[in-house]
Amino acid sequence: MTMQTRTLGSTGPQVSALGLGCMGMSALYGEADRAESIATIHAALEAGVTLLDTGDFYGVGHNELLIGEALRSAPAARREQALVSVKFGALRDPDGGWSGYDGRPAAVKNFAAYSLQRLGVDHIDVYRIARLDPDVPIEETVGAIAELVEKGYVRHVGLSEVGAETIRRAAATAPIADLQIEYSLISRGIETEILPTTRELGISVTAYGVLSRGLISGHVTSDRPLAANDFRNFLPRFQGKNLQHNLNLVEALRKIAEQKGASVAQIAIAWVLSRGEDIVPLVGARTRERLGESLGALDVTLDTADLAAIEEAVPPGAAAGERYGAAQMAHVEL
Ligand SMILES: NC(=O)c1ccc[n+]([C@@H]2O[C@H](COP(=O)([O-])OP(=O)(O)OC[C@H]3O[C@@H](n4cnc5c(N)ncnc54)[C@H](OP(=O)(O)O)[C@@H]3O)[C@@H](O)[C@H]2O)c1
């Protein structure tokens, strides 16, 4: 298979049309298998995936160390193709708690120094604050990343979960390659204002949660318990009646998937891919099996009739429950 590619923004790098999100290999979705995680990263690189996404706070450094190990043990040609996108800024405590965001310029440089060390690389390909620090103007945070670009420690500036006004202010400070933000069949909030803004400014979208944390993957059932430390226990869409309502949407999608000879996850990923060349879905696969299924989405072509059937099965706003709980919604600008 030849991997399809897309370009991140008008100034950014060329990347594979699907990126691999590595978060679940270290945090939030219960236990992950280290050897299988590394094998999944290797399999992704082998298949032509070039974009690996992480955050320095995923497993409090664990995810960057894991990616570093996977890159070191990959064949040189694959390692050299890999582009690593890193989020920073989330403050953690030893109990695993979260205590806000730090976007001060000195903190940005400090975070970057530790990330370079943990990843074992001499530069980070795309660097972004995970959430806006309400006490620091975005110009200062982005300005500090731009200084790291000048010094060669970072290649491109990205953004994460910010709204149209912040995007404009950031883009007036430095060239922005991409905005990372949740976008899926059941999370379409960016379509009103954010997507027109990124398109006007020549900024791409790296879409996360394209399976709504697995909810619309076709693999979740209401009787499959989540591990106690799985953060989906706290996501409104996975709760009680909301879950049942949302799984009914998945069943409607499954009928379309069966007609197309594809899986539900492949239809959900292919739908995001179909939204535009400026959109790169990040898939949160933690095993080679899930990765293989996700990559199959690249072979699914959705024509006008398919897209209409999908819209009918899952109309905009069809999901029950917000995409995050109230405390986390307070940190996003959408
Ligand atoms: N910027 C931000 O604020 C932000 C926030 C969250 C995530 N992200 C990034 O985006 C990446 C993806 O996000 P996500 O993991 O939350 O979303 P996701 O891709 O919607 O969900 C991943 C979950 O879906 C399950 N799944 C079921 N079928 C799958 C398949 N065929 N392929 C892949 N996964 C399948 C996985 O399964 P199993 O449980 O079976 O492994 C995993 O639990 C993250 O890894 C992270 O890098 C960014």
Side-chain angles (χ1 to χ4, degrees):
M1 183 179 77
T2 310
M3 177 56 70
Q4 300 160 29
T5 58
R6 295 186 169 183
T7 303
L8 288 190
S10 44
T11 56
Q14 195 179 64
V15 297
S16 49
L18 282 185
L20 179 65
C22 300
M23 177 183 81
M25 297 175 183
S26 300
L28 299 171
Y29 297 151
E31 289 307 306
D33 181 299
R34 187 178 184 87
E36 182 60 26
S37 296
I38 289 178
T40 303
I41 295 173
H42 286 169
L45 295 174
E46 203 52 47
V49 171
T50 59
L51 181 64
L52 303 177
D53 184 72
T54 183
D56 61 10
F57 47 89
Y58 292 159
V60 200
H62 179 278
N63 206 236
E64 290 182 320
L65 290 167
L66 183 86
I67 290 174
E69 186 181 332
L71 289 176
R72 274 192 304 282
S73 53
R78 301 291 172 220
R79 180 169 59 243
E80 281 152 23
Q81 285 166 6
L83 301 172
V84 183
S85 151
V86 179
K87 290 179 293 300
F88 66 88
L91 301 175
R92 306 296 309 270
D93 65 40
D95 296 332
W98 302 78
S99 43
Y101 294 89
D102 192 344
R104 293 170 303 151
V108 173
K109 291 167 194 170
N110 179 68
F111 285 129
Y114 280 89
S115 284
L116 290 166
Q117 184 67 28
R118 280 188 294 256
L119 288 162
V121 296
D122 61 7
H123 70 272
I124 294 163
D125 293 284
V126 192
Y127 202 43
R128 70 188 87 238
I129 189 160
R131 298 287 183 272
L132 193 63
D133 176 346
D135 297 326
V136 178
I138 191 67
E139 289 83 354
E140 289 185 23
T141 304
V142 163
I145 307 175
E147 276 181 45
L148 293 170
V149 172
E150 264 171 43
K151 291 187 173 165
Y153 295 122
V154 167
R155 291 275 155 83
H156 303 280
V157 186
L159 295 170
S160 173
E161 282 290 354
V162 288
E165 193 200 323
T166 305
I167 296 168
R168 286 188 189 284
R169 287 171 52 184
T173 308
I176 306 295
D178 69 311
L179 166 70
Q180 196 173 106
I181 198 159
E182 186 162 357
Y183 187 40
S184 75
L185 262 171
I186 62 168
S187 303
R188 297 181 62 169
I190 69 167
E191 290 175 356
T192 325
E193 199 186 359
I194 291 177
L195 199 49
T197 304
T198 55
R199 286 184 167 157
E200 177 195 324
L201 298 172
I203 297 169
S204 288
V205 165
T206 39
Y208 77 82
V210 292
L211 296 176
S212 197
R213 319 310 189 120
L215 179 59
I216 57 167
S217 67
H219 297 293
V220 169
T221 55
S222 52
D223 57 0
R224 194 184 83 171
L226 296 168
N229 61 351
D230 192 317
F231 104 117
R232 290 173 290 195
N233 288 311
F234 307 101
L235 292 181
R237 288 179 178 173
F238 283 81
Q239 313 292 322
K241 281 186 185 159
N242 288 351
L243 178 62
Q244 197 46 61
H245 171 95
N246 295 330
L247 290 179
N248 290 342
L249 298 175
V250 174
E251 289 319 303
L253 211 50
R254 197 185 300 279
K255 292 198 181 89
I256 298 166
E258 280 167 5
Q259 280 161 13
K260 293 287 292 178
S263 72
V264 180
Q266 287 168 344
I267 293 292
I269 297 167
W271 181 86
V272 178
L273 278 166
S274 78
R275 299 292 86 194
E277 285 290 311
D278 57 336
I279 297 178
V280 176
L282 296 172
V283 295
R286 310 190 285 177
T287 61
R288 286 167 286 181
E289 189 185 345
R290 296 285 197 243
L291 172 73
E293 182 183 3
S294 297
L295 291 174
L298 292 164
D299 297 324
V300 176
T301 308
L302 300 175
D303 63 21
T304 315
D306 297 327
L307 291 169
I310 292 169
E311 289 270 337
E312 200 184 327
V314 187
E322 294 272 20
R323 60 197 183 98
Y324 282 115
Q328 290 158 319
M329 285 302 279
H331 292 292
V332 296
E333 293 192 313
L334 170 67

